[in-house]
Amino acid sequence: MALPAAPAEMPRQFPKLNFSEVDENVRLLAEKVFAKVLREEDSKDALSLFTVPEDCPIGQKEAKERELQKELAEQQSVETAKRKKSFKMIRSQSLSLQIPTQEWKAPSVNPVLSPATPVLPSAFLPVQVPYDVPEFQRVSISGDYCAGVTVDDYEQAAKSLVKALLIREKYSRLAYHRFPRTTSQYLCSMRDEKWKVEDEVYPDFHSPPEENEDPYNLDDAPDNLDYVIKIKGGIPFVYDNKEMMELNEPRSLPYPDLETYTLDLSHVLALIADGPTKTYCHRRLNFLESKFSLHEMLNEMSEFKELKSNPHRDFYNVRKGRQTFHRFDKFNSKYNPVGASELRDLYLKTENYIGGEYFARMVKEVACELEESKYQYTEPRLSIYGRSPDEWQNLAKWFIKHKVYSPNMRWIIQVPRIYDIFRSKNILPSFGKMLENIFVPLFEATINPKEHKELHLFLKYVTGFDSVDDESKHSGHMFSDKSLNPDLWTSEKNPPYSYYLYYTYVNIMLLNNLRRERGMCTFLFRPHCGEAGSITHLVSAFLTADNISHGLLLKKSPVLQYLYYLAQIPIAMSPLSNNSLFLEYSKNPLREFLHKGLHVSLSTDDPMQFHYTKEALMEEYAIAAQVWKLSTCDLCEIARNSVLQSGLSDKEKQKFLGVNYCKEGPEGNDIRKTNVAQIRMAFRYETLCNELSFLADAMKTEQISALSK
Amino acid sequence: MALPAAPAEMPRQFPKLNFSEVDENVRLLAEKVFAKVLREEDSKDALSLFTVPEDCPIGQKEAKERELQKELAEQQSVETAKRKKSFKMIRSQSLSLQIPTQEWKAPSVNPVLSPATPVLPSAFLPVQVPYDVPEFQRVSISGDYCAGVTVDDYEQAAKSLVKALLIREKYSRLAYHRFPRTTSQYLCSMRDEKWKVEDEVYPDFHSPPEENEDPYNLDDAPDNLDYVIKIKGGIPFVYDNKEMMELNEPRSLPYPDLETYTLDLSHVLALIADGPTKTYCHRRLNFLESKFSLHEMLNEMSEFKELKSNPHRDFYNVRKGRQTFHRFDKFNSKYNPVGASELRDLYLKTENYIGGEYFARMVKEVACELEESKYQYTEPRLSIYGRSPDEWQNLAKWFIKHKVYSPNMRWIIQVPRIYDIFRSKNILPSFGKMLENIFVPLFEATINPKEHKELHLFLKYVTGFDSVDDESKHSGHMFSDKSLNPDLWTSEKNPPYSYYLYYTYVNIMLLNNLRRERGMCTFLFRPHCGEAGSITHLVSAFLTADNISHGLLLKKSPVLQYLYYLAQIPIAMSPLSNNSLFLEYSKNPLREFLHKGLHVSLSTDDPMQFHYTKEALMEEYAIAAQVWKLSTCDLCEIARNSVLQSGLSDKEKQKFLGVNYCKEGPEGNDIRKTNVAQIRMAFRYETLCNELSFLADAMKTEQISALSK
């Protein structure tokens, strides 16, 4: 037929197909789809053919397992490994040539054989890192220097943040608290100082006695130093001897006085309300969260694979520390046996007419179960109130008499902030006296252990101090450098939180320095903080605490949250108990904090769960895993954090985390022990370095000014 | 005092500070914080000092404005610009040297002056792109080649996806439907073909008459071709003349027969149920979403700045097309005037005893308001039922008699899928007759316009066909290549959706080819699709439609969603009307689709909103902006999409979008007209290129096999 040709610009080919040419499987599958649709139309069952199992945890888990099996099978094949490598090489080339133009040709296919291999963008090459880590996909941002803020704001924010970090470093070093090595290295480089591993400061915890050693051995107490201790105005002074005390010439121990503390606190307080800094931190935190979600998306399977190739280790048999927060004696009426507070005194206190026997037996039962379960540790709290100087002696005697020691327990001393109650009952004349009751016995036992053998022994198993009470209570007093000193604080008003924290810190700090001199173990200050009440609590703790419990209110302040991230301040969170108290479970920020890279751990916070011990902590983890869809790697990261945060000794940490646990990043992780993927470790480490490098770059103003001339 | 020295490893310095050394501002701010805390403790007001205004839109907007002002001010300063540049250079160095080691020193500060500048990682250098775009921060992934799937799965998924894209390209080209240039370029390169701009196929829309021209001029109808048209078995055949028809020798026009269509459909159907492909697409879509969120986080302010520097243009004065979906005649009882369907016939139809006068007046009122508002366009639907061959003639006469033409309107013909109703009332003998009634008049008006002047004129203002009805209705018939042909389809059963779509497509396609030969405008097939019912509807539309309305069910199939993304199939969504019908507003996937980069636009879908026209579309945008926190750039991107998707002529699109609107990426965008940031355009474009490059890389199997030998 002589027909007009189709318009030249359009090829009119429409090749006819028929079924014989088509894969039989395709035909069958398509028929199945049509038939299914016909039978069930838009029913759930029909849709499941096309969807991925997003809302169904079991389906998801199965799908993941199948993927893993396939990948593992693939890994065995040399041929596939080669193809994979070739893909990557092609990919690294094609990325730079992705955008088609008129002259565009598909990127050259043969990178190996091509004579003039172009210089590959190094971001797409294997990253050069000083440690060994399985390959993973790194998220990087080109042209990123200070996302979305002005240069002035960036500089100002960075400088203030660095100053805040330097302040925390100063307070931490002096108290033998922990400060992350990486952050410290960056701070050094900013001051053009050389960072040295010898300069690092660590807390010192007593290693548990060997199996053949007697944990109650009272015979190794060191000699008397003959020093004299006196707490004046809340500050402990140590004298060489009585004469020196009378001459009022104390040994020199540097400490931050109230004015210094107030000024340092003011810097951080002003910072957290500073507009540009808020914006900067808010943006960085958002970035951290998104970056993690992208990391997970890209590397979830690789992390999973790492863990699966790790033999004989899963979440159940990695070590988990556990902090039990609340005071044994502060049960609400629900937990008073038979509803009577007299019975609480009877059963749950260490000082009562049966010598705390019931309580001791309960603790030992729990310890027994922990020892059997092997992988769980706990840090129960014992109260010292500061009502009388005998409390320590009684507690130590109770401990020894009832043989409460357990290798799976480390003890924390909690001091309730209830001066006002004691003062109103006229038990105490001043806040100063309370501090004396709490700390003088400790100094005395440190100076002359031979005279305080029981306390000296007991203190070996104590690793820190907690400060507890309802944070939402108002003190009614405005903290400042003009606040009355503790000896003059004789009113019935309770001092504010920041005041409590300052004096507790100074006493622990000076005590630690004295104990360190004698080669004795040191204590950490680990207050409950940020569960409720004022945001200033978290500022005080930023200076004075080694780590905190709760930290919920970090949610409210991007600056503080970012500072807690940069300083990797350990935060022990307990969503189940917050749940009943202050915050709905799903609103708890633990997941968000974890994703951003804050140093969080998971704890149980309800002593009555002691009754179901074997399950309590696992329950807390299980619920977190379910509600927030945490992966095994997430859970193991949290468990690893919890051991790091704990008062377990260096020796134990080496055993549970690996000999290099003090190193940061993948080098500090032994996956065989922790079951945390090295990919995860590398991501966390490189991300922290990236954030710190922003601060470091901003500190180079002078040079930049010179450059811009 | 002769005291033992402090342990050598710890510097014991704790410099005392006092207030005179400290910035007075810091002191005042800190005091303010303390005082505020004392007065209001954890009240909202106290917290607002530390938080960023996240939940408060006004606060956020103000904060953004302040940031912008600062940035703009900064931009003025030459000195700051230099500093910024220096920061970036330092940054590009420090990134590669971020990880501190024992020997680590802070990265060299002086990149300009240093004698041996190291080779910078090019990912951190300004990216080399062939277009002009303001600097922005690009998210890149190192080592990314096929995130988290095995090499085999990756290859298989990529090949099947490419095949599906080739199928759509084939159907689109033949029907003068649109196919994105970038995807086409990649598909060419995969076949080692050279892409040429001349090979591109575009729909052809009639440019509106000039102001001095008469839109109702009937005198320019071309001559009769003397062809003969006959629809047999639902397929139109064109003959040179009556004799050729009697000899049964039609003109050759290639078209996909039912078997070919079924096979192509089967490929895509099998693909969307294929496990590895589902996983691959699901992962890519998740990645697209996260990547956008990171992009926004990093570049929101830069995009905002671009828009603010764009004078005399904001969202209100960019062009927006609008599709009005539902049939004028298919109001539910609520909209029946006074509740009586007789009144609906009276007022809202074009064929009634007052000649559709009331309806014409209503339309003209709306048109008038649109013309005044200037920036809004609409594509109202007019029904052709296929009951009788006169419908077209009557519609065209109504259009001309009532002078319904408006430069702000383009007409779409909707064909309700209600063969079953007509058949049961014995109005039609077969489905074939319905197709004849719909399409024969169009072929005749195309072959002999002089004989069908009114219809010929009216068709200039018609740009496409819609297929409408409740998608959740079941047909009860299973579609296959064995389905009866339309002439034999005489039962009262309604044919299934895929059957309707196939025959509509074939008729439009062949009609378009004939019209193109004559230099007449072509039509798009734009069915309602994926609002409810079976997922197979979206597969049929993937082959046959230029664009679709709704597409909600793409949510359920990652494979289809990803294919719609790669092929950039326009989707007109209407969350407000879906809202009342099928889906809660906040669950509507528009925002998610937009973020991932699907080609979505926003429309109103309720003709009764014609009463409030001036506000209706703006209302739809305003609610979307509020509920989903869309930025101005988001809104303008949607508006630009809506113009691209519309049936506006090339001339109008050049005027509204810029002369290069056919180009992709930033080159195709004129920010002065569209108010879409070039940064956004570059992000979308580079992201699409990245996704396509994954497919391209996977097609190189042979070469890869050779490499891996």
Side-chain angles (χ1 to χ4, degrees), chain B residues 66-112:
Chain B
R66 272 196 307 275
E67 278 302 309
L68 178 75
Q69 288 318 318
K70 276 163 82 172
E71 291 221 12
L72 289 178
E74 200 181 64
Q75 221 163 269
Q76 309 300 320
S77 152
V78 180
E79 192 265 340
T80 317
K82 279 190 189 163
R83 263 164 70 210
K84 217 161 176 169
K85 210 175 142 198
S86 310
F87 265 131
K88 258 179 248 170
M89 296 188 70
I90 286 176
R91 192 87 206 123
S92 62
Q93 279 215 325
S94 73
L95 260 168
S96 53
L97 303 162
Q98 245 169 44
I99 296 162
T101 58
Q102 282 278 38
E103 308 307 316
W104 181 71
K105 259 198 61 138
S108 149
V109 157
N110 214 329
V112 170

Side-chain angles (χ1 to χ4, degrees), chain A residues 1 3-4 9-12 14 16-19 22 30 33-34 37 41 49-52 70-71 74 82-84 87-88 91 94 98-100 102 109-110 121-123 137-138 140-142 144-145 148 150-153 155 173-174 185-186 198 240 250-254 256-257 259-260 263-264 266 269 272-273 278 282-283 286-287 290 294 297 474 477 481 516 534-535 556 558 685 690 693-694 697 700 703-704 707-708, chain B residues 1 3-4 9-12 14 16-19 22 30 33-34 37-38 41 49-52 70-71 74 82-84 87 91 94 98-100 109-110 121-123 137-138 140-142 144-145 148 150-153 155 173-174 185-186 195 240 250-254 256-257 259-260 263-264 266 269 272-273 278 282-283 286-287 290 294 297-298 474 481 513 516 534-535 556 558 685 690 693-694 697 700 703-704 707-708:
Chain A
M1 288 174 291
L3 299 171
E9 75 266 48
M10 202 200 50
R12 302 285 286 277
F14 212 107
K16 181 175 160 48
L17 302 177
N18 57 60
F19 266 111
V22 170
V33 170
F34 266 120
V37 163
E41 283 285 337
L49 253 179
F50 321 110
T51 54
V52 287
K70 276 162 81 174
E71 291 222 12
E74 200 180 64
K82 278 189 189 163
R83 262 164 70 210
K84 214 162 178 168
F87 266 131
K88 257 180 248 169
R91 191 87 205 124
S94 74
Q98 246 170 42
I99 295 163
Q102 283 278 37
V109 157
N110 214 330
S122 68
Q137 300 184 20
R138 289 171 166 86
S140 51
I141 308 297
S142 68
D144 185 16
Y145 69 108
T150 63
V151 170
D152 279 339
D153 285 355
E155 265 186 27
R173 291 180 68 81
L174 205 64
Q185 287 171 323
Y186 268 93
E198 313 86 74
D240 277 351
R251 291 167 57 82
S252 149
L253 270 176
D257 62 15
E259 195 178 358
T260 304
L263 280 168
D264 287 332
S266 298
L269 276 171
I272 67 170
K278 278 198 293 185
H282 180 64
R283 294 187 70 94
N286 278 346
F287 175 77
S290 288
L294 213 48
M297 194 172 295
H474 296 197
H477 172 83
D481 61 320
R516 189 62 194 250
S534 160
I535 199 101
K556 301 288 184 187
Y685 179 57
N690 185 48
S693 74
F694 277 109
D697 289 348
K700 298 167 188 159
Q703 291 99 325
I704 284 169
L707 279 179
S708 65
Chain B
M1 290 174 287
L3 300 171
E9 76 267 47
M10 200 202 50
R12 300 287 284 281
F14 213 106
K16 182 175 159 45
L17 302 177
N18 57 59
F19 266 111
V22 170
V33 170
F34 266 121
V37 163
L38 188 69
E41 285 284 337
L49 251 178
F50 320 111
T51 54
V52 287
K70 276 163 82 172
E71 291 221 12
E74 200 181 64
K82 279 190 189 163
R83 263 164 70 210
K84 217 161 176 169
F87 265 131
R91 192 87 206 123
S94 73
Q98 245 169 44
I99 296 162
V109 157
N110 214 329
S122 68
Q137 300 184 22
R138 287 173 168 86
S140 51
I141 309 297
S142 68
D144 186 16
Y145 70 108
T150 63
V151 169
D152 280 339
D153 285 356
E155 266 186 29
R173 291 180 68 81
L174 206 62
Q185 287 172 324
Y186 268 93
W195 178 88
D240 278 350
R251 291 168 56 85
S252 151
L253 270 177
D257 61 15
E259 195 178 358
T260 304
L263 280 169
D264 287 333
S266 297
L269 276 171
I272 69 170
K278 279 198 292 185
H282 180 65
R283 294 187 70 95
N286 277 347
F287 175 77
S290 287
L294 214 49
M297 195 173 295
L298 296 166
H474 296 197
D481 61 320
N513 278 277
R516 189 62 193 251
S534 160
I535 200 99
K556 302 287 185 188
Y685 179 57
N690 186 47
S693 75
F694 277 109
D697 289 347
K700 297 168 188 158
Q703 292 98 327
I704 284 169
L707 279 179
S708 67

Side-chain angles (χ1 to χ4, degrees), chain B residues 636-676:
Chain B
C636 292
E637 189 182 8
I638 295 174
R640 181 175 179 276
N641 284 349
S642 74
V643 175
L644 276 175
Q645 298 179 6
S646 76
L648 290 169
S649 65
D650 182 61
K651 200 172 148 190
E652 288 159 298
K653 284 178 183 163
Q654 289 197 24
K655 192 172 156 206
F656 301 157
L657 304 177
V659 284
N660 290 319
Y661 80 93
C662 282
K663 292 191 179 174
E664 304 217 320
E667 285 181 297
N669 181 45
D670 186 339
I671 185 175
R672 292 164 303 173
K673 290 166 184 288
T674 63
N675 205 38
V676 179

Side-chain angles (χ1 to χ4, degrees), chain B residues 231-514:
Chain B
I231 296 188
K232 287 193 293 191
I235 310 287
F237 292 90
V238 179
Y239 303 87
D240 278 350
N241 47 49
K242 237 176 169 167
E243 291 72 43
M244 292 303 264
M245 184 178 80
E246 273 150 22
L247 289 168
N248 202 18
E249 294 211 25
R251 291 168 56 85
S252 151
L253 270 177
Y255 68 93
D257 61 15
L258 188 61
E259 195 178 358
T260 304
Y261 173 70
T262 315
L263 280 169
D264 287 333
L265 202 64
S266 297
H267 172 75
V268 185
L269 276 171
L271 186 61
I272 69 170
D274 174 60
T277 311
K278 279 198 292 185
T279 307
Y280 181 76
C281 295
H282 180 65
R283 294 187 70 95
R284 297 314 307 170
L285 288 167
N286 277 347
F287 175 77
L288 285 173
E289 199 168 11
S290 287
K291 190 177 174 188
F292 180 78
S293 105
L294 214 49
H295 167 80
E296 266 307 84
M297 195 173 295
L298 296 166
N299 301 296
E300 192 190 7
M301 191 54 73
S302 308
E303 288 183 352
F304 188 55
K305 217 160 63 185
E306 249 196 277
L307 299 195
K308 283 287 170 177
S309 332
N310 187 26
H312 314 305
R313 191 62 77 189
D314 58 25
F315 172 68
Y316 299 97
N317 63 14
V318 299
R319 289 324 196 282
K320 313 155 197 57
R322 170 173 78 172
Q323 325 197 353
T324 22
F325 293 161
H326 277 303
R327 291 172 282 162
F328 282 109
D329 62 319
K330 196 202 159 203
F331 299 113
N332 61 32
S333 60
K334 189 178 145 204
Y335 292 135
N336 275 343
V338 211
S341 69
E342 296 76 24
L343 291 178
R344 193 175 68 189
D345 269 350
L346 172 63
Y347 289 121
L348 299 171
K349 291 205 174 188
T350 56
E351 291 184 45
N352 55 25
Y353 68 93
I354 53 169
E357 189 185 327
Y358 177 85
F359 180 56
R361 275 175 55 187
M362 209 180 77
V363 170
K364 284 160 75 178
E365 237 173 70
V366 170
C368 215
E369 282 168 6
L370 286 177
E371 287 163 38
E372 276 172 32
S373 84
K374 188 176 169 191
Y375 297 104
Q376 294 180 39
Y377 291 77
T378 189
E379 299 185 310
R381 264 65 176 165
L382 292 171
S383 289
I384 289 291
Y385 297 93
R387 273 176 309 196
S388 90
D390 303 332
E391 291 176 38
W392 280 109
Q393 180 69 6
N394 295 337
L395 190 60
K397 282 186 172 157
W398 167 83
F399 182 83
I400 294 163
K401 179 182 173 196
H402 294 289
K403 297 194 184 304
V404 182
Y405 169 78
S406 157
N408 290 50
M409 285 183 171
R410 291 300 178 281
W411 298 91
I412 309 268
I413 300 302
Q414 63 183 5
V415 183
R417 293 188 299 277
I418 49 172
Y419 157 80
D420 53 337
I421 295 174
F422 297 142
R423 182 71 196 91
S424 70
K425 293 184 178 165
N426 223 7
I427 296 171
L428 289 174
S430 68
F431 186 67
K433 192 70 197 166
M434 183 171 167
L435 287 171
E436 274 179 47
N437 290 337
I438 298 168
F439 287 104
V440 166
L442 299 174
F443 278 95
E444 287 175 348
T446 302
I447 290 167
N448 189 2
K450 281 223 180 338
E451 271 286 306
H452 307 82
K453 283 186 176 171
E454 289 92 351
L455 183 51
H456 173 70
L457 176 88
F458 173 57
L459 289 179
K460 289 182 182 172
Y461 308 118
V462 171
T463 61
F465 288 83
D466 197 346
S467 173
V468 298
D469 204 39
D470 180 357
E471 285 188 74
S472 62
K473 286 195 326 195
H474 296 197
S475 83
H477 172 84
M478 180 177 143
F479 180 76
S480 81
D481 61 320
K482 305 290 178 301
S483 295
L484 286 176
N485 90 44
D487 290 342
L488 304 177
W489 194 290
T490 54
S491 82
E492 283 184 20
K493 236 184 198 175
N494 211 20
Y497 187 91
S498 304
Y499 188 93
Y500 266 107
L501 257 66
Y502 167 69
Y503 285 103
T504 312
Y505 168 81
V506 168
N507 277 277
I508 294 173
M509 187 269 271
L510 288 168
L511 179 65
N512 278 346
N513 278 277
L514 186 65

Side-chain angles (χ1 to χ4, degrees), chain B residues 547-589:
Chain B
N547 65 73
I548 60 165
S549 299
H550 296 306
L552 298 179
L553 288 179
L554 288 175
K555 235 178 134 162
K556 302 287 185 188
S557 165
V559 179
L560 268 178
Q561 196 183 126
Y562 194 55
L563 281 173
Y564 272 68
Y565 167 73
L566 293 173
Q568 290 287 297
I569 301 179
I571 307 166
M573 302 187 79
S574 183
L576 272 185
S577 61
N578 297 325
N579 195 20
S580 31
L581 293 174
F582 293 105
L583 197 67
E584 209 180 293
Y585 196 95
S586 61
K587 286 187 188 148
N588 188 290

Side-chain angles (χ1 to χ4, degrees), chain A residues 64 296 300 303 625 629-636 680:
Chain A
K64 218 166 131 182
E296 266 308 85
E300 192 190 8
E303 288 183 352
K629 299 191 179 178
L630 300 182
S631 68
T632 305
C633 189
D634 293 332
L635 294 177
C636 292
R680 176 68 60 92

